[in-house]
Amino acid sequence: EVQLVDSGGNLVQPGGSLRLSCAASGFTVSSNYMSWVRQAPGKGLEWVSVFYRSGDTYYADSVKGRFIISRDNSKNTVYLHMNSLRAEDTAVYYCARGGGNSDFDYWGQGTLVTVSS
Amino acid sequence: EIVLTQSPDFQSVTPKEKVTITCRASQSIGGNLHWYQQKPDQSPKILIRYASQSFSGVPSRFSGSGSGTDFTLTINGLEAEDAATYYCHQSNNLPHTFGQGTKLEIK
């Protein structure tokens, strides 16, 4: 059974850093495209970043230069390293399988990041 | 960036009714358009992939059509459990983008 478990969300001050984790089971992350998608409170979905099977990575303009997506094949886990956090980064962050020219077919349960002083 | 515009933003419907949600892309995206359902406090779930392919396990009352710039999600015979927000998503170009969502309320 395919499962994604998101963790790492927390309350952080503006300018701070946080690392989110997405632990996968039932498939191998290195053989798939893996993405992060976020949802601000009461708002719609926003794609954040993708890790291609090739190792290439891409980011939304809103997070480029501040966020880094990475992958640990030995742990079958994908990470989102978030730096220089801003109030507007406050959202539930979902890990999702997909992000090439495909849909997101499986999603984690989400983890809440709140950026506030 | 490709902008996806859904209509309507909100619809109040009765059970057994037929519902149609549209998604228009700001430029052609071929068939790289997908539909998701999100219920309150839950993660989104894929319903339709590549405009018209039903995802495994999705009830047959959900169907999709379209190509290029105009796409439609249809729910034939709405059920109470279909109360949710529906999003379209394009994977043709980076950045991936989503429509603003259509909230369905069941009367």
Side-chain angles (χ1 to χ4, degrees), chain A residues 40-84:
Chain A
K43 302 297 184 183
L45 301 168
E46 179 189 16
W47 172 80
V48 172
S49 180
V50 61
F51 200 112
Y52 275 19
R53 289 180 298 208
S54 63
D56 292 339
T57 59
Y58 297 93
Y59 301 90
D61 285 347
S62 58
V63 306
K64 201 173 296 182
R66 300 187 299 122
F67 290 10
I68 297 172
I69 189 171
S70 66
R71 185 178 73 190
D72 185 332
N73 295 339
S74 67
K75 294 182 178 179
N76 211 33
T77 297
V78 176
Y79 301 97
L80 187 67
H81 306 262
M82 311 165 68
N83 302 306
S84 302

Side-chain angles (χ1 to χ4, degrees), chain A residues 28-44:
Chain A
T28 304
V29 296
S30 60
S31 300
N32 287 270
Y33 297 93
M34 297 296 299
S35 292
W36 288 94
V37 176
R38 69 184 180 182
Q39 187 170 36
K43 302 297 184 183

Side-chain angles (χ1 to χ4, degrees), chain B residues 2 4 25 27-33 68-69 71 89-93:
Chain B
I2 295 174
L4 298 179
Q27 65 189 74
S28 179
I29 55 174
N32 295 312
L33 190 285
T69 60
F71 301 85
H89 152 231
Q90 69 80 22
S91 61
N92 195 65
N93 288 18

Side-chain angles (χ1 to χ4, degrees), chain A residues 39 99-104 108, chain B residues 36 38 43-44 49-50 87 91 96:
Chain A
Q39 187 170 36
N101 70 336
S102 67
D103 58 294
F104 301 118
Chain B
Y36 302 85
Q38 186 180 33
S43 308
R49 54 191 354 179
Y50 298 109
Y87 294 94
S91 61
H96 287 258

Side-chain angles (χ1 to χ4, degrees), chain B residues 10-104:
Chain B
F10 175 85
Q11 192 168 5
S12 184
V13 292
T14 55
K16 300 183 182 179
E17 200 173 324
K18 177 181 175 180
V19 173
T20 298
I21 299 171
T22 66
C23 178
R24 175 162 288 177
S26 58
Q27 65 189 74
S28 179
I29 55 174
N32 295 312
L33 190 285
H34 320 288
W35 291 97
Y36 302 85
Q37 176 193 66
Q38 186 180 33
K39 296 182 180 180
D41 298 319
Q42 293 187 17
S43 308
K45 290 183 170 64
I46 181 75
L47 294 173
I48 304 290
R49 54 191 354 179
Y50 298 109
S52 61
Q53 299 175 18
S54 293
F55 189 70
S56 175
V58 172
S60 59
R61 62 182 181 273
F62 292 94
S63 63
S65 64
S67 67
T69 60
D70 293 299
F71 301 85
T72 300
L73 173 69
T74 301
I75 311 174
N76 271 302
L78 191 78
E79 297 192 5
E81 66 185 32
D82 300 333
T85 300
Y86 294 82
Y87 294 94
C88 58
H89 152 231
Q90 69 80 22
S91 61
N92 195 65
N93 288 18
L94 286 175
H96 287 258
T97 51
F98 292 88
Q100 80 277 15
T102 295
K103 185 173 183 178
L104 283 189

